[in-house]
Amino acid sequence: RRSSRLACLPGHWHFVPAGQVDSSNPQHVLEQELHEELGCEWDEVVDSRLLALMDCGAEQGHKSDFIFWLRLSLNAADVEERFACAEDSSEHDGLIFVRVPGRWRPASVATRTLALDEFLGRYQLVDIARRSLILFERLVQDGPVTA
């Protein structure tokens, strides 16, 4: 969840890592944001895929965002622990793991987990996050992405 102290969309839920592509190397930006926002390192990513290039919508000035899917070698409890000590911890004040139907591994259950439909229905999400989750769910159902 974006911190309530932020000027842009405070308290809204979105994905981490997230950030501006302010380099000619988008992977470097992704690696940096992964470290800063979650405290995780790129060598802990076991699979990564570019899912889409999407318009962020009016709430963020229609800028374009790359939507990536990352699978980490860490379990959810490890990610939560790293998140608590992350470099940019003031940017976010909450973390929830979302279960995609048919793709959740019980061994990685974290303290705060929600079913996808519950998360979409109960929480105020940044528009791009809502549309990205719906896209991811469709891709998982169709088979090209395995979570």
Side-chain angles (χ1 to χ4, degrees):
R1 181 176 55 206
R2 295 176 55 79
S3 171
S4 60
R5 296 181 301 261
L6 295 177
C8 181
L9 302 167
H12 284 65
W13 290 87
H14 76 130
F15 298 114
V16 289
Q20 297 288 330
V21 179
D22 52 7
S23 163
S24 61
N25 183 342
Q27 181 172 337
H28 173 74
V29 174
L30 185 58
E31 291 174 16
Q32 182 178 345
E33 294 294 338
L34 180 69
H35 172 75
E36 291 175 358
E37 295 182 0
L38 285 177
C40 299
E41 301 304 326
W42 190 253
D43 63 359
E44 295 166 321
V45 175
V46 295
D47 195 6
S48 65
R49 308 209 186 153
L50 174 62
L51 300 180
L53 176 63
M54 297 177 80
D55 179 303
C56 284
E59 69 186 12
Q60 293 185 52
H62 292 287
K63 68 181 179 76
S64 297
D65 265 7
F66 291 107
I67 307 302
F68 284 92
W69 170 79
L70 302 176
R71 186 169 54 137
L72 303 176
S73 61
L74 306 170
N75 64 34
D78 292 336
V79 173
E80 285 183 314
E81 185 177 310
R82 303 271 185 94
F83 173 74
C85 302
E87 190 175 314
D88 279 353
S89 60
S90 63
E91 192 174 329
H92 304 93
D93 60 15
L95 187 65
I96 290 179
F97 292 84
V98 179
R99 296 186 304 271
V100 176
R103 300 292 185 191
W104 189 253
R105 293 185 180 94
S108 65
V109 173
T111 310
R112 297 186 67 191
T113 61
L114 293 172
L116 177 61
D117 58 344
E118 182 181 6
F119 185 64
L120 289 171
R122 284 183 45 198
Y123 290 83
Q124 187 174 20
L125 277 71
V126 172
D127 179 58
I128 188 81
R130 177 176 303 285
R131 290 185 289 119
S132 297
L133 273 172
I134 292 167
L135 170 68
F136 182 72
E137 179 182 35
R138 287 181 187 150
L139 290 172
V140 168
Q141 289 171 351
D142 292 344
V145 177
T146 56

